[in-house]
Amino acid sequence: MRRLFLAVSTLALLAAACRSAPQPTPEPTSGPSTAPGPQAPATPSTDPESFRDQPPTASPAPELVLPRFEQAVLDNGLTVLVSTRKELPLVYVGTAFAAGSATDPKGKWGLADLTYKMMLEGAAGKDTLALDQAFQNLGVSPSVSVSSDGAILGVRVLQRNTEAALALITQVVRQPTFSPKDFERRQKLQLAELVRALGSPGFLAQRAFLDVVFGAAHPYGHPTSGLPETVSGVTVRDVKAFYEANVGPRTTALVMTGDITLEQAVALAKKSFGDWKGKAVLPPVPPAPPTPARGQVVFVPKAGLDQTIVLMGRPGIAAGHADESALDLATTVFGGFFGSRLNMNLREDKGYSYGANSGSDARLGVGPLTASSSVRADVTGAAVSEFVNELKGLRERPITPRELEPAREGLIRAFPGSFESVEGLGASASELFLRRRPLDEYARTVAGLEKATPAEVQRVAEAYLGPDAMQIVLVGDPEVIQQQVEPLGLGKLVAREPAKTPAPKP
């Protein structure tokens, strides 16, 4: 403030001096000079828009610094994962569980999701409210996320509250209550969420896609949240059985990131989990599904929709596959960023959609490879044709270095976003455990993206993105789909009715 005052005062004095200084009196002139002589060159006018002729020069890209992950294993098999970052006095304290929705028993889809959420409904003699209050006293609220390959449960706390937070997490993991009353409430909440989801065209597309690509019997063939008819059949006994069979020291990782060292984390782990015993073992890797040629076009009828969801895909690859980096680049060029082929076609050129995307989800087992968009209903057939044309175009118009380099740069520069917080570090460490990858996996991924050649990316694009193996799922007005898509000859149209909501229990 003092510097600002002095600067303003100085400017005021200078202005006053300029106003009071005597000005020279111009000498009178007799008119324009007629004396011969050279004329002064005219000052060229400056075009205020000339700066647009030269794009600004990009500054040098900052150096990519990847986090360092460390690991230890206790005598009972518990894994301890740590990434130290001391800029702020914050620590993420969490646990990663190696069994996800892929381990749901037949007819009990959604069981894993329910089980992990139930663990926060009471533990070690604390009911739901008391447990929640204990976390609130530390200024935190725990979160849980469940995927096909596992689950992550944890909190971010101030460094001084690390041990107290770990004590609560330990109770949640080792002594969940699984009260019948709490289960009934949680089950009703899950069913209500699923009923709402059934009104979402996106959820309906996902449900049909997983069934078409993987099959109902495959571990990846159903949504993590389950369906109303499967969740309604889950009992609290099922939850307890799932926990006993799948949660134990050999299937769990204690994940601590932020202002903590590996030595400190191991000492805390031994204190909290050193005497933990359990029979759970790592679940098997889901088998690779077949990849047949497309013989049908599946659609979920939703009369009156103004848009049609177009979802195409097939089984892709598992994490760690040799083609992973090249396939990430190929799908990015195809539809993974704004300047991709699919998006520029459907959005910028044709105006059929607000956007399109594609990507490869490499999981513990072979995950899905997808391309999708929501298009105007009146151009459903034309949009599907453009999807197919762009897939064919990957062979007819090979990927060029000019297309590849922005995709490569975008993927690599996006990496720091996954590590910008201690929670992000924790999630990244947890993914290493869930997908059973080495500690230097992220460095390997960056190296793979940097080294992938145009020829390699083209080979992978032709191998995985051929149109004949891409299954097609549509959600939209049935009359529109039948009129516009059937004449394309892409396969027999097969209607897939949405899942029905079960009657409420008496």
Side-chain angles (χ1 to χ4, degrees), residues 232-374:
S232 63
V234 174
T235 65
V236 69
R237 182 177 297 179
D238 294 326
V239 167
K240 292 178 179 179
F242 182 94
Y243 171 84
E244 291 294 332
N246 295 289
V247 179
R250 285 174 291 179
T251 61
T252 303
L254 174 63
V255 180
M256 305 186 79
T257 57
D259 191 3
I260 191 166
T261 65
L262 179 63
E263 293 73 20
Q264 292 171 328
V266 169
L268 291 172
K270 288 180 178 179
K271 181 178 178 180
S272 298
F273 292 102
D275 61 344
W276 189 24
K277 295 179 175 59
K279 62 181 181 180
V281 296
L282 291 175
V285 176
T291 309
R294 183 184 64 255
Q296 61 182 6
V297 175
V298 173
F299 72 96
V300 182
K302 288 284 287 184
L305 283 186
D306 293 329
Q307 291 184 319
T308 300
I309 289 186
V310 181
L311 179 56
M312 295 188 181
R314 51 161 285 174
I317 58 176
H321 193 283
D323 290 338
E324 187 172 3
S325 292
L327 185 56
D328 282 340
L329 288 166
T331 55
T332 301
V333 170
F334 179 69
F337 73 121
F338 187 86
S340 64
R341 292 187 178 188
L342 189 62
N343 189 69
M344 294 302 287
N345 183 331
L346 296 181
R347 175 189 166 103
E348 297 300 290
D349 183 33
K350 304 294 191 308
Y352 291 166
S353 169
Y354 285 116
N357 62 80
S358 69
S360 173
D361 181 12
R363 302 179 180 179
L364 176 63
V366 172
L369 188 158
T370 59
S372 64
S373 181
S374 294

Side-chain angles (χ1 to χ4, degrees), residues 117-139:
K117 290 175 179 176
M118 276 296 300
M119 291 170 66
L120 288 173
E121 296 290 347
K126 300 181 181 68
D127 62 15
T128 304
L129 294 178
L131 182 61
D132 187 59
Q133 185 62 55
F135 279 110
Q136 286 189 36
N137 289 342
L138 298 177

Side-chain angles (χ1 to χ4, degrees), residues 69-89:
F69 295 97
E70 300 177 277
Q71 176 179 295
V73 180
L74 303 188
D75 293 340
N76 62 356
L78 181 85
T79 299
V80 181
L81 283 169
V82 170
S83 183
T84 303
R85 177 183 291 172
K86 291 185 171 290
E87 291 93 339
L88 295 172

